Amino acid sequence: MPKIKSKKAATKRFRITGTGKFKYPKANKQHILGKKSPKRKMRLRKSGVVDKTNELAVRRMMPYA
């Protein structure tokens, strides 16, 4: 049985935590920051966790994570 290839786009976007959840960096923090409030920019600094409904899809993209 051959090995399954991982989706390289997913491996670059998601990291697995110690508890087995997937975390990712938030979007919209690269440019056009002048119109965004400081509170919004502060929230964008933190990483997000993949929701339970999408977790199976991410697991399929990263079979050995």
Side-chain angles (χ1 to χ4, degrees):
M1 195 71 172
K3 284 199 239 178
I4 305 167
K5 285 190 175 182
S6 299
K7 297 281 186 245
K8 289 300 179 182
T11 59
K12 291 169 188 173
R13 284 170 174 79
F14 300 106
R15 298 279 175 265
I16 193 157
T17 64
T19 57
K21 295 177 183 175
F22 291 96
K23 68 177 195 174
Y24 61 93
K26 298 271 180 85
N28 302 315
K29 189 65 173 57
Q30 294 295 322
H31 61 104
I32 315 174
L33 298 172
K35 60 175 79 170
K36 295 170 188 163
S37 69
K39 185 178 178 180
R40 182 176 169 191
K41 288 186 276 192
M42 192 169 63
R43 281 194 312 253
L44 290 172
R45 276 183 226 144
K46 297 177 182 177
S47 58
V49 178
V50 173
D51 192 58
K52 188 172 62 173
T53 56
N54 296 322
E55 197 170 326
L56 181 62
V58 178
R59 280 200 190 282
R60 285 183 179 149
M61 287 187 259
M62 300 170 62
Y64 300 106

CSV table of all heavy atoms in Angstrom, one decimal:
chain,number,residue,atom,x,y,z
A,1,MET,N,0.8,-1.2,0.0
A,1,MET,CA,0.0,0.0,0.0
A,1,MET,C,0.9,1.3,0.0
A,1,MET,O,1.7,1.4,0.9
A,1,MET,CB,-0.9,0.0,1.3
A,1,MET,CG,-2.0,0.9,1.2
A,1,MET,SD,-3.2,0.3,0.1
A,1,MET,CE,-4.5,1.4,0.4
A,2,PRO,N,0.8,2.1,-1.0
A,2,PRO,CA,1.6,3.3,-1.0
A,2,PRO,C,1.2,4.4,0.0
A,2,PRO,O,0.0,4.3,0.5
A,2,PRO,CB,1.4,3.8,-2.5
A,2,PRO,CG,0.1,3.3,-2.9
A,2,PRO,CD,-0.1,2.0,-2.2
A,3,LYS,N,2.1,5.2,0.3
A,3,LYS,CA,1.8,6.3,1.2
A,3,LYS,C,0.8,7.3,0.6
A,3,LYS,O,0.9,7.5,-0.7
A,3,LYS,CB,3.1,7.0,1.6
A,3,LYS,CG,3.9,6.3,2.6
A,3,LYS,CD,4.9,7.3,3.2
A,3,LYS,CE,6.3,6.9,3.0
A,3,LYS,NZ,7.3,7.8,3.5
A,4,ILE,N,0.0,8.0,1.4
A,4,ILE,CA,-0.9,9.0,0.9
A,4,ILE,C,-0.1,10.3,0.9
A,4,ILE,O,0.5,10.7,1.9
A,4,ILE,CB,-2.1,9.1,1.8
A,4,ILE,CG1,-2.8,7.7,1.9
A,4,ILE,CG2,-3.1,10.1,1.2
A,4,ILE,CD1,-3.9,7.7,3.0
A,5,LYS,N,-0.3,11.1,-0.1
A,5,LYS,CA,0.4,12.4,-0.2
A,5,LYS,C,-0.5,13.4,0.6
A,5,LYS,O,-1.7,13.4,0.5
A,5,LYS,CB,0.5,12.9,-1.6
A,5,LYS,CG,1.6,12.2,-2.4
A,5,LYS,CD,1.8,12.9,-3.7
A,5,LYS,CE,3.0,12.3,-4.4
A,5,LYS,NZ,3.3,13.0,-5.7
A,6,SER,N,0.2,14.3,1.3
A,6,SER,CA,-0.5,15.4,2.0
A,6,SER,C,-0.6,16.6,1.0
A,6,SER,O,0.1,16.8,0.1
A,6,SER,CB,0.4,15.9,3.2
A,6,SER,OG,0.6,14.9,4.1
A,7,LYS,N,-1.7,17.3,1.3
A,7,LYS,CA,-1.9,18.6,0.5
A,7,LYS,C,-0.9,19.6,1.0
A,7,LYS,O,-1.0,20.0,2.2
A,7,LYS,CB,-3.3,19.0,0.6
A,7,LYS,CG,-4.4,18.1,0.1
A,7,LYS,CD,-4.5,18.2,-1.4
A,7,LYS,CE,-5.6,17.3,-2.0
A,7,LYS,NZ,-5.1,16.2,-2.8
A,8,LYS,N,0.0,20.0,0.2
A,8,LYS,CA,1.0,20.9,0.6
A,8,LYS,C,0.5,22.3,1.1
A,8,LYS,O,1.0,22.9,2.0
A,8,LYS,CB,2.1,21.2,-0.5
A,8,LYS,CG,2.9,19.9,-0.7
A,8,LYS,CD,3.7,19.6,0.5
A,8,LYS,CE,4.5,18.3,0.3
A,8,LYS,NZ,5.2,18.0,1.6
A,9,ALA,N,-0.6,22.7,0.4
A,9,ALA,CA,-1.2,24.0,0.9
A,9,ALA,C,-1.7,23.9,2.3
A,9,ALA,O,-1.6,24.8,3.1
A,9,ALA,CB,-2.4,24.3,-0.1
A,10,ALA,N,-2.3,22.7,2.7
A,10,ALA,CA,-2.8,22.6,4.0
A,10,ALA,C,-1.6,22.5,5.0
A,10,ALA,O,-1.7,23.0,6.1
A,10,ALA,CB,-3.6,21.3,4.1
A,11,THR,N,-0.5,21.8,4.7
A,11,THR,CA,0.6,21.7,5.6
A,11,THR,C,1.2,23.1,5.9
A,11,THR,O,1.8,23.3,7.0
A,11,THR,CB,1.7,20.7,5.1
A,11,THR,OG1,2.1,21.2,3.8
A,11,THR,CG2,1.1,19.3,4.9
A,12,LYS,N,1.1,24.0,4.9
A,12,LYS,CA,1.7,25.3,5.1
A,12,LYS,C,0.8,26.2,6.0
A,12,LYS,O,1.2,27.1,6.6
A,12,LYS,CB,1.9,26.0,3.8
A,12,LYS,CG,3.1,25.3,3.0
A,12,LYS,CD,3.1,25.9,1.6
A,12,LYS,CE,4.1,25.1,0.8
A,12,LYS,NZ,4.1,25.4,-0.6
A,13,ARG,N,-0.5,25.9,6.0
A,13,ARG,CA,-1.5,26.7,6.6
A,13,ARG,C,-1.9,26.3,8.0
A,13,ARG,O,-2.2,27.1,8.9
A,13,ARG,CB,-2.8,26.8,5.8
A,13,ARG,CG,-2.7,27.7,4.6
A,13,ARG,CD,-3.9,27.5,3.7
A,13,ARG,NE,-4.0,28.5,2.6
A,13,ARG,CZ,-3.2,28.3,1.5
A,13,ARG,NH1,-2.5,27.3,1.4
A,13,ARG,NH2,-3.3,29.2,0.5
A,14,PHE,N,-1.8,25.0,8.3
A,14,PHE,CA,-2.2,24.5,9.6
A,14,PHE,C,-1.1,23.8,10.4
A,14,PHE,O,-0.2,23.2,9.8
A,14,PHE,CB,-3.3,23.4,9.4
A,14,PHE,CG,-4.6,24.0,8.7
A,14,PHE,CD1,-4.8,23.6,7.4
A,14,PHE,CD2,-5.5,24.8,9.3
A,14,PHE,CE1,-5.9,24.1,6.7
A,14,PHE,CE2,-6.6,25.3,8.7
A,14,PHE,CZ,-6.8,24.9,7.4
A,15,ARG,N,-1.2,24.0,11.7
A,15,ARG,CA,-0.3,23.3,12.6
A,15,ARG,C,-1.1,22.5,13.6
A,15,ARG,O,-2.2,23.0,14.0
A,15,ARG,CB,0.6,24.3,13.4
A,15,ARG,CG,1.5,25.1,12.5
A,15,ARG,CD,2.8,24.4,12.2
A,15,ARG,NE,3.6,25.2,11.2
A,15,ARG,CZ,3.5,25.1,9.9
A,15,ARG,NH1,2.7,24.2,9.4
A,15,ARG,NH2,4.3,25.8,9.2
A,16,ILE,N,-0.7,21.3,14.0
A,16,ILE,CA,-1.4,20.5,14.9
A,16,ILE,C,-0.9,20.8,16.4
A,16,ILE,O,0.2,21.0,16.6
A,16,ILE,CB,-1.3,19.0,14.6
A,16,ILE,CG1,-2.3,18.2,15.3
A,16,ILE,CG2,0.1,18.5,14.8
A,16,ILE,CD1,-2.7,16.9,14.7
A,17,THR,N,-1.9,20.9,17.3
A,17,THR,CA,-1.6,21.2,18.7
A,17,THR,C,-1.3,19.9,19.4
A,17,THR,O,-1.5,18.8,18.9
A,17,THR,CB,-2.7,22.0,19.4
A,17,THR,OG1,-3.9,21.1,19.4
A,17,THR,CG2,-3.1,23.2,18.7
A,18,GLY,N,-1.0,20.0,20.7
A,18,GLY,CA,-0.7,18.8,21.5
A,18,GLY,C,-2.0,18.0,21.7
A,18,GLY,O,-1.9,16.8,21.9
A,19,THR,N,-3.1,18.6,21.7
A,19,THR,CA,-4.4,17.9,22.0
A,19,THR,C,-5.0,17.4,20.7
A,19,THR,O,-6.1,16.8,20.7
A,19,THR,CB,-5.4,18.8,22.7
A,19,THR,OG1,-5.6,20.0,21.9
A,19,THR,CG2,-4.9,19.2,24.0
A,20,GLY,N,-4.3,17.6,19.5
A,20,GLY,CA,-4.8,17.1,18.3
A,20,GLY,C,-5.7,18.0,17.5
A,20,GLY,O,-6.2,17.6,16.4
A,21,LYS,N,-5.8,19.3,17.9
A,21,LYS,CA,-6.6,20.3,17.2
A,21,LYS,C,-5.7,20.9,16.2
A,21,LYS,O,-4.5,20.9,16.3
A,21,LYS,CB,-7.2,21.3,18.1
A,21,LYS,CG,-8.2,20.7,19.1
A,21,LYS,CD,-8.7,21.8,20.0
A,21,LYS,CE,-9.7,21.2,21.0
A,21,LYS,NZ,-10.1,22.2,22.0
A,22,PHE,N,-6.3,21.6,15.2
A,22,PHE,CA,-5.6,22.3,14.2
A,22,PHE,C,-5.7,23.8,14.4
A,22,PHE,O,-6.8,24.3,14.6
A,22,PHE,CB,-6.1,22.0,12.8
A,22,PHE,CG,-5.8,20.6,12.4
A,22,PHE,CD1,-6.8,19.6,12.5
A,22,PHE,CD2,-4.6,20.2,11.8
A,22,PHE,CE1,-6.5,18.3,12.1
A,22,PHE,CE2,-4.3,18.9,11.4
A,22,PHE,CZ,-5.3,18.0,11.6
A,23,LYS,N,-4.5,24.5,14.4
A,23,LYS,CA,-4.6,25.9,14.6
A,23,LYS,C,-4.0,26.6,13.3
A,23,LYS,O,-3.2,25.9,12.5
A,23,LYS,CB,-3.8,26.4,15.8
A,23,LYS,CG,-2.3,26.2,15.8
A,23,LYS,CD,-1.8,26.8,17.1
A,23,LYS,CE,-0.3,26.9,16.9
A,23,LYS,NZ,0.3,27.6,18.1
A,24,TYR,N,-4.4,27.8,13.1
A,24,TYR,CA,-4.0,28.5,11.8
A,24,TYR,C,-3.9,30.0,12.1
A,24,TYR,O,-4.6,30.5,13.1
A,24,TYR,CB,-5.1,28.3,10.7
A,24,TYR,CG,-6.4,28.8,11.1
A,24,TYR,CD1,-6.8,30.1,10.8
A,24,TYR,CD2,-7.3,28.0,11.8
A,24,TYR,CE1,-8.1,30.6,11.1
A,24,TYR,CE2,-8.6,28.5,12.2
A,24,TYR,CZ,-8.9,29.8,11.8
A,24,TYR,OH,-10.2,30.2,12.2
A,25,PRO,N,-3.1,30.7,11.4
A,25,PRO,CA,-3.0,32.2,11.6
A,25,PRO,C,-4.2,32.9,10.9
A,25,PRO,O,-4.7,32.4,9.9
A,25,PRO,CB,-1.7,32.6,10.9
A,25,PRO,CG,-1.5,31.5,9.9
A,25,PRO,CD,-2.1,30.2,10.4
A,26,LYS,N,-4.7,33.9,11.6
A,26,LYS,CA,-5.8,34.7,11.1
A,26,LYS,C,-5.4,35.4,9.8
A,26,LYS,O,-4.3,35.9,9.6
A,26,LYS,CB,-6.3,35.6,12.1
A,26,LYS,CG,-6.8,35.0,13.4
A,26,LYS,CD,-8.2,34.7,13.4
A,26,LYS,CE,-8.7,34.0,14.6
A,26,LYS,NZ,-9.1,35.0,15.6
A,27,ALA,N,-6.4,35.6,8.9
A,27,ALA,CA,-6.2,36.4,7.7
A,27,ALA,C,-6.5,37.9,8.0
A,27,ALA,O,-6.9,38.3,9.0
A,27,ALA,CB,-7.2,35.9,6.6
A,28,ASN,N,-6.2,38.7,6.9
A,28,ASN,CA,-6.5,40.2,6.9
A,28,ASN,C,-5.6,41.0,7.8
A,28,ASN,O,-6.0,42.0,8.4
A,28,ASN,CB,-8.0,40.5,7.3
A,28,ASN,CG,-8.9,39.8,6.3
A,28,ASN,OD1,-8.7,39.8,5.1
A,28,ASN,ND2,-9.9,39.1,6.9
A,29,LYS,N,-4.3,40.5,8.0
A,29,LYS,CA,-3.4,41.3,8.9
A,29,LYS,C,-2.2,41.7,8.1
A,29,LYS,O,-1.2,42.1,8.7
A,29,LYS,CB,-3.0,40.4,10.0
A,29,LYS,CG,-2.2,41.0,11.2
A,29,LYS,CD,-3.0,42.1,11.9
A,29,LYS,CE,-2.4,42.6,13.1
A,29,LYS,NZ,-1.1,43.2,13.0
A,30,GLN,N,-2.2,41.7,6.8
A,30,GLN,CA,-1.0,42.0,6.0
A,30,GLN,C,-0.9,43.4,5.5
A,30,GLN,O,0.1,44.0,5.7
A,30,GLN,CB,-1.0,41.1,4.7
A,30,GLN,CG,-0.8,39.6,5.0
A,30,GLN,CD,0.6,39.3,5.6
A,30,GLN,OE1,1.6,39.9,5.3
A,30,GLN,NE2,0.6,38.4,6.6
A,31,HIS,N,-2.0,44.0,5.0
A,31,HIS,CA,-2.0,45.4,4.6
A,31,HIS,C,-3.3,46.0,4.7
A,31,HIS,O,-4.3,45.4,5.1
A,31,HIS,CB,-1.5,45.4,3.1
A,31,HIS,CG,-2.3,44.7,2.1
A,31,HIS,ND1,-3.2,45.3,1.3
A,31,HIS,CD2,-2.5,43.4,1.9
A,31,HIS,CE1,-3.9,44.4,0.6
A,31,HIS,NE2,-3.4,43.2,0.9
A,32,ILE,N,-3.4,47.3,4.4
A,32,ILE,CA,-4.6,48.1,4.6
A,32,ILE,C,-5.1,48.0,6.0
A,32,ILE,O,-6.2,47.7,6.4
A,32,ILE,CB,-5.8,47.7,3.6
A,32,ILE,CG1,-5.3,47.5,2.2
A,32,ILE,CG2,-6.9,48.7,3.6
A,32,ILE,CD1,-6.3,46.9,1.2
A,33,LEU,N,-4.1,48.3,6.9
A,33,LEU,CA,-4.4,48.2,8.4
A,33,LEU,C,-4.9,49.5,9.0
A,33,LEU,O,-5.3,49.6,10.1
A,33,LEU,CB,-3.1,47.8,9.1
A,33,LEU,CG,-2.6,46.4,8.7
A,33,LEU,CD1,-1.3,46.1,9.3
A,33,LEU,CD2,-3.6,45.3,9.0
A,34,GLY,N,-4.8,50.6,8.2
A,34,GLY,CA,-5.2,51.9,8.8
A,34,GLY,C,-6.6,52.0,9.1
A,34,GLY,O,-7.0,52.7,10.1
A,35,LYS,N,-7.5,51.4,8.3
A,35,LYS,CA,-8.9,51.5,8.5
A,35,LYS,C,-9.4,50.5,9.6
A,35,LYS,O,-10.6,50.5,10.0
A,35,LYS,CB,-9.7,51.3,7.2
A,35,LYS,CG,-9.5,50.0,6.5
A,35,LYS,CD,-10.4,49.8,5.3
A,35,LYS,CE,-9.8,50.6,4.1
A,35,LYS,NZ,-10.5,50.3,2.9
A,36,LYS,N,-8.6,49.5,10.0
A,36,LYS,CA,-9.0,48.5,11.0
A,36,LYS,C,-8.7,49.0,12.4
A,36,LYS,O,-7.7,49.6,12.6
A,36,LYS,CB,-8.3,47.2,10.7
A,36,LYS,CG,-8.6,46.6,9.4
A,36,LYS,CD,-7.8,45.4,9.0
A,36,LYS,CE,-8.1,45.0,7.6
A,36,LYS,NZ,-7.1,44.2,6.9
A,37,SER,N,-9.6,48.8,13.3
A,37,SER,CA,-9.5,49.3,14.6
A,37,SER,C,-8.4,48.5,15.4
A,37,SER,O,-8.1,47.4,15.0
A,37,SER,CB,-10.8,49.1,15.4
A,37,SER,OG,-11.1,47.7,15.6
A,38,PRO,N,-7.8,49.1,16.4
A,38,PRO,CA,-6.7,48.5,17.2
A,38,PRO,C,-7.3,47.2,17.8
A,38,PRO,O,-6.5,46.2,17.9
A,38,PRO,CB,-6.4,49.5,18.2
A,38,PRO,CG,-6.7,50.8,17.6
A,38,PRO,CD,-7.9,50.5,16.8
A,39,LYS,N,-8.5,47.2,18.2
A,39,LYS,CA,-9.1,46.0,18.9
A,39,LYS,C,-9.2,44.8,17.8
A,39,LYS,O,-8.9,43.7,18.2
A,39,LYS,CB,-10.5,46.3,19.4
A,39,LYS,CG,-11.2,45.2,20.1
A,39,LYS,CD,-12.5,45.7,20.6
A,39,LYS,CE,-13.3,44.6,21.3
A,39,LYS,NZ,-14.6,45.0,21.8
A,40,ARG,N,-9.5,45.2,16.6
A,40,ARG,CA,-9.6,44.2,15.6
A,40,ARG,C,-8.3,43.6,15.2
A,40,ARG,O,-8.1,42.4,15.0
A,40,ARG,CB,-10.3,44.8,14.3
A,40,ARG,CG,-10.5,43.8,13.2
A,40,ARG,CD,-11.2,44.5,12.1
A,40,ARG,NE,-11.2,43.7,10.9
A,40,ARG,CZ,-11.6,44.2,9.7
A,40,ARG,NH1,-12.1,45.5,9.6
A,40,ARG,NH2,-11.6,43.5,8.6
A,41,LYS,N,-7.3,44.5,15.1
A,41,LYS,CA,-5.9,44.1,14.8
A,41,LYS,C,-5.3,43.2,15.9
A,41,LYS,O,-4.6,42.2,15.7
A,41,LYS,CB,-5.0,45.3,14.5
A,41,LYS,CG,-5.3,45.9,13.2
A,41,LYS,CD,-4.3,47.0,12.9
A,41,LYS,CE,-4.7,48.3,13.6
A,41,LYS,NZ,-3.9,49.5,13.1
A,42,MET,N,-5.7,43.5,17.2
A,42,MET,CA,-5.2,42.7,18.3
A,42,MET,C,-5.8,41.3,18.2
A,42,MET,O,-5.1,40.3,18.5
A,42,MET,CB,-5.7,43.4,19.6
A,42,MET,CG,-5.0,42.9,20.8
A,42,MET,SD,-5.3,43.9,22.3
A,42,MET,CE,-7.1,43.9,22.4
A,43,ARG,N,-7.1,41.2,17.9
A,43,ARG,CA,-7.7,39.9,17.7
A,43,ARG,C,-7.1,39.1,16.6
A,43,ARG,O,-7.0,37.8,16.6
A,43,ARG,CB,-9.2,40.0,17.5
A,43,ARG,CG,-10.0,40.3,18.7
A,43,ARG,CD,-11.5,40.1,18.4
A,43,ARG,NE,-12.0,40.7,17.2
A,43,ARG,CZ,-12.7,41.8,17.1
A,43,ARG,NH1,-13.1,42.4,18.2
A,43,ARG,NH2,-13.1,42.3,16.0
A,44,LEU,N,-6.7,39.8,15.5
A,44,LEU,CA,-6.1,39.1,14.4
A,44,LEU,C,-4.7,38.5,14.6
A,44,LEU,O,-4.2,37.6,13.9
A,44,LEU,CB,-6.0,40.0,13.2
A,44,LEU,CG,-7.4,40.4,12.5
A,44,LEU,CD1,-7.2,41.5,11.5
A,44,LEU,CD2,-8.1,39.2,11.9
A,45,ARG,N,-4.1,39.0,15.7
A,45,ARG,CA,-2.7,38.5,16.1
A,45,ARG,C,-2.8,37.1,16.6
A,45,ARG,O,-1.9,36.3,16.3
A,45,ARG,CB,-2.1,39.4,17.2
A,45,ARG,CG,-1.4,40.6,16.7
A,45,ARG,CD,-0.8,41.3,17.9
A,45,ARG,NE,-1.1,42.7,17.8
A,45,ARG,CZ,-1.3,43.5,18.8
A,45,ARG,NH1,-1.3,43.1,20.0
A,45,ARG,NH2,-1.6,44.8,18.6
A,46,LYS,N,-3.9,36.7,17.3
A,46,LYS,CA,-4.0,35.4,17.8
A,46,LYS,C,-4.3,34.4,16.8
A,46,LYS,O,-4.9,34.7,15.7
A,46,LYS,CB,-5.1,35.4,18.9
A,46,LYS,CG,-4.8,36.3,20.1
A,46,LYS,CD,-5.9,36.3,21.0
A,46,LYS,CE,-5.6,37.3,22.2
A,46,LYS,NZ,-6.8,37.4,23.1
A,47,SER,N,-3.9,33.2,17.0
A,47,SER,CA,-4.2,32.1,16.0
A,47,SER,C,-5.6,31.5,16.3
A,47,SER,O,-6.1,31.5,17.4
A,47,SER,CB,-3.2,31.0,16.1
A,47,SER,OG,-3.1,30.5,17.4
A,48,GLY,N,-6.2,31.1,15.2
A,48,GLY,CA,-7.6,30.5,15.3
A,48,GLY,C,-7.5,29.0,15.4
A,48,GLY,O,-6.4,28.4,15.0
A,49,VAL,N,-8.5,28.3,15.8
A,49,VAL,CA,-8.6,26.9,15.9
A,49,VAL,C,-9.7,26.4,14.9
A,49,VAL,O,-10.8,27.0,14.9
A,49,VAL,CB,-8.9,26.4,17.3
A,49,VAL,CG1,-9.0,24.9,17.4
A,49,VAL,CG2,-7.8,26.9,18.3
A,50,VAL,N,-9.4,25.4,14.2
A,50,VAL,CA,-10.3,24.9,13.2
A,50,VAL,C,-11.6,24.3,13.9
A,50,VAL,O,-11.5,23.6,14.9
A,50,VAL,CB,-9.7,23.8,12.3
A,50,VAL,CG1,-10.7,23.1,11.4
A,50,VAL,CG2,-8.5,24.3,11.5
A,51,ASP,N,-12.7,24.7,13.4
A,51,ASP,CA,-14.0,24.3,14.0
A,51,ASP,C,-14.2,22.8,13.8
A,51,ASP,O,-13.6,22.1,12.9
A,51,ASP,CB,-15.1,25.0,13.3
A,51,ASP,CG,-16.5,24.9,14.0
A,51,ASP,OD1,-16.5,25.2,15.2
A,51,ASP,OD2,-17.4,24.4,13.4
A,52,LYS,N,-15.0,22.2,14.7
A,52,LYS,CA,-15.3,20.8,14.7
A,52,LYS,C,-15.9,20.3,13.4
A,52,LYS,O,-15.6,19.2,12.9
A,52,LYS,CB,-16.2,20.4,15.8
A,52,LYS,CG,-16.4,19.0,16.1
A,52,LYS,CD,-17.2,18.7,17.4
A,52,LYS,CE,-18.6,19.3,17.3
A,52,LYS,NZ,-19.5,19.0,18.4
A,53,THR,N,-16.7,21.1,12.7
A,53,THR,CA,-17.3,20.7,11.5
A,53,THR,C,-16.3,20.6,10.3
A,53,THR,O,-16.6,19.9,9.4
A,53,THR,CB,-18.4,21.7,11.1
A,53,THR,OG1,-17.9,23.1,11.0
A,53,THR,CG2,-19.6,21.7,12.1
A,54,ASN,N,-15.2,21.4,10.4
A,54,ASN,CA,-14.3,21.4,9.3
A,54,ASN,C,-13.0,20.5,9.6
A,54,ASN,O,-12.2,20.3,8.8
A,54,ASN,CB,-13.8,22.8,9.0
A,54,ASN,CG,-14.9,23.6,8.5
A,54,ASN,OD1,-15.7,23.2,7.7
A,54,ASN,ND2,-14.9,24.9,8.9
A,55,GLU,N,-13.0,20.0,10.8
A,55,GLU,CA,-11.8,19.2,11.2
A,55,GLU,C,-11.5,18.0,10.4
A,55,GLU,O,-10.4,17.7,10.1
A,55,GLU,CB,-11.9,18.9,12.7
A,55,GLU,CG,-10.6,18.5,13.3
A,55,GLU,CD,-10.6,18.4,14.8
A,55,GLU,OE1,-11.4,19.1,15.5
A,55,GLU,OE2,-9.9,17.5,15.3
A,56,LEU,N,-12.6,17.3,10.0
A,56,LEU,CA,-12.4,16.1,9.2
A,56,LEU,C,-11.8,16.4,7.9
A,56,LEU,O,-11.0,15.6,7.4
A,56,LEU,CB,-13.8,15.4,9.1
A,56,LEU,CG,-13.8,14.0,8.3
A,56,LEU,CD1,-12.9,13.0,9.0
A,56,LEU,CD2,-15.2,13.5,8.1
A,57,ALA,N,-12.2,17.5,7.3
A,57,ALA,CA,-11.7,17.9,6.0
A,57,ALA,C,-10.2,18.2,6.1
A,57,ALA,O,-9.4,17.8,5.2
A,57,ALA,CB,-12.4,19.1,5.5
A,58,VAL,N,-9.8,18.8,7.1
A,58,VAL,CA,-8.4,19.1,7.3
A,58,VAL,C,-7.6,17.9,7.6
A,58,VAL,O,-6.5,17.7,7.1
A,58,VAL,CB,-8.2,20.2,8.5
A,58,VAL,CG1,-6.7,20.5,8.7
A,58,VAL,CG2,-8.9,21.5,8.1
A,59,ARG,N,-8.1,16.9,8.4
A,59,ARG,CA,-7.5,15.7,8.6
A,59,ARG,C,-7.2,14.9,7.4
A,59,ARG,O,-6.2,14.2,7.2
A,59,ARG,CB,-8.3,14.8,9.6
A,59,ARG,CG,-8.1,15.3,11.0
A,59,ARG,CD,-8.5,14.3,12.0
A,59,ARG,NE,-8.5,14.9,13.4
A,59,ARG,CZ,-7.4,15.1,14.1
A,59,ARG,NH1,-6.2,14.8,13.6
A,59,ARG,NH2,-7.5,15.7,15.2
A,60,ARG,N,-8.2,14.9,6.5
A,60,ARG,CA,-8.1,14.2,5.2
A,60,ARG,C,-7.0,14.8,4.3
A,60,ARG,O,-6.3,14.1,3.6
A,60,ARG,CB,-9.4,14.2,4.4
A,60,ARG,CG,-10.3,13.2,5.0
A,60,ARG,CD,-11.6,13.1,4.2
A,60,ARG,NE,-12.5,12.2,4.8
A,60,ARG,CZ,-13.9,12.3,4.7
A,60,ARG,NH1,-14.4,13.3,4.1
A,60,ARG,NH2,-14.6,11.4,5.3
A,61,MET,N,-6.8,16.1,4.4
A,61,MET,CA,-5.7,16.8,3.7
A,61,MET,C,-4.4,16.5,4.2
A,61,MET,O,-3.4,16.6,3.5
A,61,MET,CB,-6.0,18.3,3.7
A,61,MET,CG,-7.1,18.8,2.8
A,61,MET,SD,-7.2,20.5,2.7
A,61,MET,CE,-8.5,20.9,3.8
A,62,MET,N,-4.3,16.3,5.5
A,62,MET,CA,-3.0,16.0,6.2
A,62,MET,C,-3.1,14.6,6.9
A,62,MET,O,-3.3,14.6,8.1
A,62,MET,CB,-2.7,17.1,7.2
A,62,MET,CG,-2.6,18.5,6.6
A,62,MET,SD,-2.6,19.8,7.8
A,62,MET,CE,-1.1,19.4,8.7
A,63,PRO,N,-3.0,13.5,6.2
A,63,PRO,CA,-3.2,12.2,6.7
A,63,PRO,C,-2.3,11.8,7.8
A,63,PRO,O,-2.6,11.0,8.7
A,63,PRO,CB,-3.2,11.3,5.5
A,63,PRO,CG,-2.4,12.0,4.5
A,63,PRO,CD,-2.6,13.5,4.8
A,64,TYR,N,-1.1,12.3,7.9
A,64,TYR,CA,-0.1,11.9,8.8
A,64,TYR,C,0.2,12.9,9.9
A,64,TYR,O,1.1,12.8,10.7
A,64,TYR,CB,1.3,11.5,8.1
A,64,TYR,CG,1.1,10.4,7.1
A,64,TYR,CD1,1.1,10.7,5.8
A,64,TYR,CD2,0.8,9.1,7.6
A,64,TYR,CE1,0.9,9.7,4.9
A,64,TYR,CE2,0.6,8.1,6.7
A,64,TYR,CZ,0.6,8.4,5.3
A,64,TYR,OH,0.4,7.4,4.4
A,65,ALA,N,-0.7,13.9,10.1
A,65,ALA,CA,-0.6,14.9,11.1
A,65,ALA,C,-1.1,14.4,12.4
A,65,ALA,O,-1.9,13.6,12.5
A,65,ALA,CB,-1.3,16.2,10.7
